[in-house]
Amino acid sequence: EKNPVCELLGIKYPVIQGGMAWIADARLAAAVSNAGGLGLIAAMNSNGEQLREQIIAARKLTDKPFGVNLMLMSPYIDQAVDVVCQEGVKVVTTGAGNPAKYMDKLLSSGVKVICVVASVALAVMVERMGASAVVAEGCESGGHVGETTTMALVPQVADAVNIPVIAAGGIADGRGMAAAFMLGASAVQMGTRFLTAKECSVHQNYKDKVLKAKDRDTIVTGKSLGHPVRALKNHMTREFMEKENDSSTAPSELEKMGSGALRRAAIEGDVRNGSCMCGQIAGLVNSEDTCQEIITGICNDAYELMGINSLKVKPA
Ligand SMILES: O=C(O)COc1ccc(-c2c[nH]c(CNC(=O)Nc3ncc(Sc4ccccn4)s3)n2)cc1
């Protein structure tokens, strides 16, 4: 039986790596693509030229398909869209906003667009605008989140659209993949699981914090600002929550605290004052594995549970 997402993207296994801002670079994306999944480079933290360098670097590391994640709140979004079109990137994912403004330019450049959505309404809208698939991302996921869980969002999105649905949020092993398929998804996207991959360049302090995390060690902050973000509890989230709950705090002060926080954790390793964005599944992620081991493991476990032949993977 052919998998619609594998056919759409020309990949071997229906596993996508989340395009995590400040974390998903060419090295990680290429490792995931070489392992048979779809690797994604985060455009978020780069201006146009830095993104072009990452795309060129990825091409040197893999001849398999890979994509770019366009974080729509990024200050560099317009440059990133131009570079993606100029460089002939085959597929992009979009997140943290409504991609309407960029759809025509991307689609007319022949780029396949997969939109991350947190609601049925946005899923229906992006299908009408020409998206090739949607990632239905539950609020269990790390980083910028909506308000609906994966268990509730995926089947409702699957009922509402005719394009393939990719499930994200709280998935890190075969059980999660099998569950996602039962809910109507044809593939999974994982962020936290790939954050601790051997080929992920995020600071070791951040990886160690994720590996040690338990089921209740994340928290969502920033609801009052309109972009709620899930991260591991630390000194920064405690301070942020105190300020956020203090009505005399100006939103601009919170924005200042939030900006640069992810970079501080991911690049500088400041896991006390930085923002260690991470999903609720962190408690299940307890080992640093290669991207091949991660993809082979999840597909074989899901195959054992569901008996879908296309998921059976020879051991790495
Ligand atoms: O209806 C609309 O206008 C759009 O509404 C939306 C609401 C939510 C989403 C959504 C949820 N999840 C995603 C994809 N995931 C993400 O985008 N996760 C992210 N993590 C860190 C990011 S960088 C950042 C972002 C904000 C503040 C601080 N840092 S982006 N998109 C997409 C669209």
Side-chain angles (χ1 to χ4, degrees):
E1 59 281 11
K2 281 277 156 222
N3 178 294
V5 172
C6 291
E7 291 216 311
L8 172 74
L9 301 173
I11 55 178
K12 220 166 159 202
Y13 305 115
V15 178
I16 298 175
Q17 157 248 317
M20 303 166 278
W22 286 116
I23 295 170
D25 60 3
R27 180 178 168 224
L28 178 60
V32 171
S33 294
N34 282 330
L38 182 78
L40 293 173
I41 294 168
M44 157 73 184
N45 37 290
S46 330
N47 62 34
E49 285 321 303
Q50 290 161 330
L51 175 57
R52 199 188 307 277
E53 279 164 30
Q54 287 293 317
I55 293 167
I56 291 165
R59 288 218 171 95
K60 292 197 177 92
L61 294 169
T62 184
D63 56 9
K64 302 279 188 325
F66 66 87
V68 169
N69 178 43
L70 297 170
M71 215 283 287
L72 298 167
M73 291 170 74
S74 162
Y76 301 111
I77 184 65
D78 292 299
Q79 294 175 32
V81 171
D82 288 345
V83 167
V84 154
C85 296
Q86 289 156 13
E87 289 298 325
V89 170
K90 296 269 181 312
V91 60
V92 298
T93 56
T94 67
N98 186 327
K101 221 175 111 187
Y102 309 100
M103 287 305 272
D104 286 349
K105 181 168 174 68
L106 289 163
L107 295 175
S108 54
S109 302
V111 181
K112 287 194 184 79
V113 181
I114 298 177
C115 304
V116 181
V117 299
S119 69
V120 169
L122 188 61
V124 171
M125 196 190 306
V126 299
E127 177 184 40
R128 231 195 345 262
M129 291 192 274
S132 300
V134 286
V135 176
E137 186 192 77
C139 57
E140 300 92 325
S141 75
H144 183 67
V145 288
E147 298 189 343
T148 310
T149 63
T150 303
M151 178 71 86
L153 181 66
V154 172
Q156 293 180 74
V157 168
D159 287 348
V161 300
N162 296 312
I163 50 178
V165 175
I166 299 150
I171 300 169
D173 70 4
R175 294 170 294 182
M177 182 174 205
F181 277 50
M182 292 302 112
L183 294 171
S186 308
V188 298
Q189 177 178 284
M190 300 190 290
T192 304
R193 177 69 271 228
F194 283 112
L195 194 154
T196 62
K198 286 205 166 80
E199 300 93 335
C200 180
S201 315
V202 75
H203 198 285
Q204 192 62 40
N205 293 356
Y206 193 147
K207 279 192 186 181
D208 291 344
K209 217 168 154 57
V210 172
L211 292 169
K212 278 195 217 102
K214 301 255 175 299
D215 57 324
R216 298 188 55 206
D217 287 344
T218 70
I219 188 165
V220 176
T221 58
K223 281 198 182 82
S224 63
L225 297 175
H227 39 253
V229 166
R230 182 181 300 285
L232 288 171
K233 288 174 186 166
N234 66 1
H235 174 75
M236 190 252 182
T237 57
R238 216 179 353 271
E239 265 206 333
F240 194 99
M241 285 301 271
E242 276 160 19
K243 284 195 178 354
E244 193 172 10
N245 295 335
D246 169 356
S247 52
S248 69
T249 307
S252 56
E253 189 183 340
L254 289 173
E255 292 280 2
K256 204 156 49 40
M257 266 187 85
S259 78
L262 176 55
R263 187 188 182 293
R264 271 199 301 281
I267 308 295
E268 297 162 24
D270 181 354
V271 293
R272 183 175 147 73
N273 299 304
S275 169
C276 302
M277 293 186 188
C278 161
Q280 288 184 309
I281 204 61
L284 205 66
V285 178
N286 302 312
S287 61
E288 280 188 75
D289 303 303
T290 65
C291 292
Q292 185 65 72
E293 287 162 343
I294 291 170
I295 291 177
T296 303
I298 192 169
C299 287
N300 276 338
D301 291 353
Y303 166 75
E304 285 308 316
L305 290 164
M306 296 190 290
I308 296 181
N309 283 307
S310 58
L311 290 174
K312 188 154 181 53
V313 186
K314 300 183 303 313

